[in-house]
Amino acid sequence: MLNRNSANSAAAVAAAKAEANDAANVIANELAAGQRVSQMVDVTKFPTDKQVDALIDHAASMGASDLFFTSNDQHVAVLVRHLGMIKPISVIPTEAGRRAMSHIKALAGMDLTEKRRTTDGRWIFERIDGNRVDLRISVIPTV
């Protein structure tokens, strides 16, 4: 049974996911039309570990409070929450996105085999400039 706080949290997660999916579709359409999307970073040419480093470093340099990965059949969209607004920063192929999410889970000490339950982890990320960012990682499975 969910208590009131967890019900509110579940509703917030569902709303954030819906907003992220809408933003991801807008980004994909703009990219397909050849339009330039502001504050986007292209990480498709990097190996998985460098993709993750570039995404986290970019999000930290923006002052983002959250980093979201949301996937569908065509792509994985990477979004950030900055000043209360969710903004896209990258769109990557589905398989590369899944590898990036698995890489993050591994570095956060999370169980890679768990797919059905919410899992949490922590990772101290060292940025290119030597500063450290304390990351809390949460994976919330959705249907």
Side-chain angles (χ1 to χ4, degrees):
M1 180 171 193
L2 295 174
N3 65 31
R4 186 173 183 178
N5 288 337
S6 62
N8 289 340
S9 296
V13 167
K17 181 164 177 46
E19 187 176 343
N21 278 331
D22 290 345
N25 289 331
V26 168
I27 295 164
N29 291 337
E30 288 176 354
L31 291 173
Q35 298 174 350
R36 188 177 188 287
V37 182
S38 64
Q39 293 189 332
M40 296 286 285
V41 59
D42 181 14
V43 296
T44 56
K45 56 188 165 260
F46 301 134
T48 301
D49 59 333
K50 299 298 182 202
Q51 284 181 354
V52 170
D53 291 353
L55 290 168
I56 293 173
D57 196 61
H58 185 68
S61 68
M62 290 176 64
S65 61
D66 298 290
L67 181 68
F68 301 99
F69 287 79
T70 181
S71 62
N72 62 29
D73 293 337
Q74 294 84 28
H75 57 268
V76 172
V78 184
L79 305 106
V80 296
R81 185 185 319 269
H82 179 250
L83 301 174
M85 296 180 60
I86 295 178
K87 301 175 183 179
I89 62 167
S90 191
V91 175
I92 52 181
T94 303
E95 188 56 37
R98 289 189 179 131
R99 283 193 309 267
M101 289 185 279
S102 291
H103 183 71
I104 291 169
K105 286 173 69 174
L107 291 171
M110 300 166 72
D111 183 1
L112 295 175
T113 62
E114 183 57 64
K115 304 285 186 206
R116 295 183 180 197
R117 284 186 254 173
T118 300
T119 56
D120 297 307
R122 183 172 180 220
W123 173 28
I124 306 292
F125 174 74
E126 189 162 336
R127 294 185 60 195
I128 296 168
D129 61 9
N131 291 329
R132 291 183 175 188
V133 179
D134 187 359
L135 302 170
R136 292 171 291 136
I137 312 294
S138 295
V139 176
I140 303 168
T142 58
V143 177

